[in-house]
Amino acid sequence: MDGYLVEILFGTFAFLMVVGAPITVALGCSALAAMWYLGDNPIKMVQISWSSVGSFPLMALPSFILAGALMEAAGLSRRLIAVAETMAGPFTGGISAATVLACLFFGAISGSGPATTAAVGMLMIPAMARAGYARGYAASVTAASGGLGIIIPPSIPMVIFGISAMGLQPPAEAVEKFGTFQSVSISKLFIAGFFPGCLMAGMLLANNYIRCRAAGYRGSAEPLSLSKILHASYKGFWAIMAPVVILGGIYTGMFTPTEAAIVAIFYTLFVGVVIYRELNLRQMVAALETTTWLAGRVLLVLFTATIFGRILVENGVPAVIAKGMLSLTDSLYVIWILVIALLLIVGMFMETLAAIMILVPVMLPVAYQMGIDPIHFGIVMICTLSIGFQTPPLGENLFIASGISNVSMEEISLRALPFAITGAVAIYIIACFPQIALWLPRVVGY
């Protein structure tokens, strides 16, 4: 490995980020500087960029974004949240627990943390405030739960991880030592994310109960009513069926994640136009505009991050980093602590999708050297980066929750800190017990 190459690549990237350049510009310019140093033809950047967007699985990205935007416009998200709200009851922390469940439900159709926080927060933060909850706490539990949106499949970061990891093969010495590793596929990632997402939600619920009990926060003034739950479920039947159709089709092998995204779009159009009759042409156009903006933004980062990662891999940088980490310790549990700590720090300062595209080529070889299954590693990475949505200074969920609740970022950040610690504990459990993520994919035959 050329030491000057690493200095040029990361030095240029760090300098441009410090001066406030967009991450796409920082990645592209640092990659171009490295290629100039190596004497490569700059046209190689175009070739690598083109190959990065030529994969069939990438079609799932704009499709899931469009499906999520249409579901919100068609009223599916509102009905899912209504079902969760009826489950609050008069229990300690009931309404805030319903917020966690609502994020869990909505995450199964949106695949986005900020989208989950915005959709659920608009309804649940005012509801919690009316029930006597401090607005800062209401905003913090919503921001923390919104991170479930990228863990519960379908998940946009899982699509990006799958695309980033598909071209990275385990080294021969790792295969000889640990045996054959699983191949990376988006379907496996989607299936593997189910139980870790439920564990993360369970830890949030436990934390919420303890804190609400200490603060004296109760649930709804009305008793838990089976008839109300059934009534809300009846009114929201077609909304509840959306994640069932999407995930059921993937889990049973009826269609791939990319095909599932297309099915989700047509399902939402049918329900929104024919059954609920809330989806009109103006809303469809607005959903398409949202999809174009978000997908374009992601693809620009994908172009440059792919080049950045390719330069790292071709020049053996990940192998050097892997050897460096392994020279510190050979304990898998200590390695997991180092990896999770690094991802938590990165998640505080960098957007999740960009972090995945930059770090996968660097860190996946370390996982292979330690005998970590790539599907397991991907789930741990995405779970860890999900905490970045609720930690400053980036904290996208914090900004959204602050805007909805009119509470300062500082107050929400402090109240969200215990949830972030709880999430980190849950992630370490997922890391130490691979079967939490890998059992379901093996059971369904992936």
Side-chain angles (χ1 to χ4, degrees):
M1 183 189 71
D2 191 330
Y4 289 114
L5 172 66
V6 175
E7 292 176 6
I8 292 170
L9 190 64
F10 286 100
T12 306
F13 176 75
F15 171 75
L16 290 172
M17 289 296 291
V18 168
V19 300
I23 192 165
T24 303
V25 174
L27 287 169
C29 290
S30 57
L32 184 61
M35 293 179 74
W36 173 79
Y37 171 76
L38 293 170
D40 290 335
N41 190 332
I43 198 66
K44 184 179 178 181
M45 292 185 70
V46 179
Q47 296 170 337
I48 297 173
S49 298
W50 180 256
S51 66
S52 69
V53 294
S55 61
F56 176 72
L58 189 60
M59 289 178 59
L61 174 66
S63 301
F64 275 125
I65 294 173
L66 177 58
L70 289 173
M71 285 177 182
E72 187 170 357
L76 274 73
S77 59
R78 187 177 68 253
R79 288 171 171 83
L80 282 173
I81 294 168
V83 172
E85 196 169 4
T86 61
M87 299 177 182
F91 312 111
T92 299
I95 297 180
S96 50
T99 301
V100 178
L101 293 176
C103 289
L104 197 67
F105 292 162
F106 190 79
I109 63 174
S110 76
S112 166
T116 301
T117 303
V120 175
M122 290 294 289
L123 295 176
M124 298 304 289
I125 290 177
M128 284 186 276
R130 288 192 299 269
Y133 287 64
R135 295 188 74 89
Y137 181 80
S140 68
V141 71
T142 306
S145 305
L148 297 172
I150 69 168
I151 303 171
I152 297 295
S155 163
I156 293 171
M158 287 183 187
V159 174
I160 297 300
F161 180 90
I163 293 168
S164 302
M166 282 178 188
L168 300 173
Q169 300 300 322
E173 60 270 21
V175 174
E176 183 179 348
K177 183 177 180 181
F178 298 106
T180 304
F181 293 86
Q182 286 192 70
S183 60
V184 178
S185 76
I186 297 170
S187 296
K188 288 181 183 178
L189 288 165
F190 278 9
I191 297 170
F194 182 78
F195 282 130
C198 291
L199 176 61
M200 295 277 287
M203 295 287 278
L204 283 175
L205 288 170
N207 187 312
N208 171 71
Y209 176 81
I210 294 169
R211 296 176 69 186
C212 286
R213 185 172 181 177
Y217 296 148
R218 302 288 295 176
S220 171
E222 301 177 2
L224 188 66
S225 170
L226 180 60
S227 63
K228 287 188 176 181
I229 296 175
L230 293 175
H231 180 67
S233 299
Y234 172 75
K235 291 182 67 176
F237 173 78
W238 295 103
I240 295 171
M241 286 301 295
V244 173
V245 169
I246 297 169
L247 300 182
I250 296 172
Y251 287 10
T252 58
M254 290 179 62
F255 34 74
T256 66
T258 304
E259 293 164 345
I262 305 301
V263 169
I265 291 172
F266 282 97
Y267 177 87
T268 305
L269 288 172
F270 176 77
V271 172
V273 175
V274 178
I275 298 177
Y276 291 158
R277 299 182 181 180
E278 295 184 16
L279 191 61
N280 55 43
L281 183 60
R282 181 179 59 81
Q283 291 171 321
M284 293 181 198
V285 172
L288 286 169
E289 289 177 350
T290 300
T291 302
T292 302
W293 181 80
L294 288 175
R297 178 182 168 195
V298 173
L299 288 175
L300 281 173
V301 178
L302 180 62
F303 288 156
T304 50
T306 301
I307 302 165
F308 191 95
R310 183 76 65 84
I311 292 172
L312 290 174
V313 172
E314 288 181 352
N315 291 276
V317 176
V320 173
I321 294 174
K323 290 178 181 177
M325 292 187 70
L326 294 174
S327 68
L328 297 174
T329 177
D330 58 357
S331 170
L332 181 60
Y333 302 108
V334 176
I335 290 290
W336 270 127
I337 291 174
L338 295 174
V339 169
I340 292 171
L342 174 62
L343 291 173
L344 286 172
I345 295 169
V346 169
M348 293 172 63
F349 298 96
M350 190 177 294
E351 186 183 26
T352 300
L353 300 183
I356 291 171
M357 287 182 276
I358 294 171
L359 293 178
V360 166
V362 176
M363 301 187 72
L364 191 57
V366 179
Y368 282 133
Q369 294 284 0
M370 293 299 297
I372 299 170
D373 188 279
I375 300 297
H376 179 215
F377 180 80
I379 296 301
V380 173
M381 176 180 243
I382 291 165
C383 288
T384 309
L385 291 174
S386 75
I387 294 181
F389 286 114
Q390 57 175 299
T391 51
L394 186 59
E396 295 172 77
N397 288 4
L398 296 177
F399 284 101
I400 294 169
S402 176
I404 295 172
S405 63
N406 292 319
V407 177
S408 69
M409 278 274 296
E410 291 78 12
E411 181 180 347
I412 299 174
S413 299
L414 287 174
R415 289 180 178 270
L417 184 60
F419 290 119
I421 295 171
T422 300
V425 172
I427 291 164
Y428 190 67
I429 293 171
I430 295 166
C432 293
F433 298 94
Q435 291 307 312
I436 296 174
L438 300 179
W439 180 78
L440 189 57
R442 289 169 180 166
V443 167
V444 298
Y446 275 88

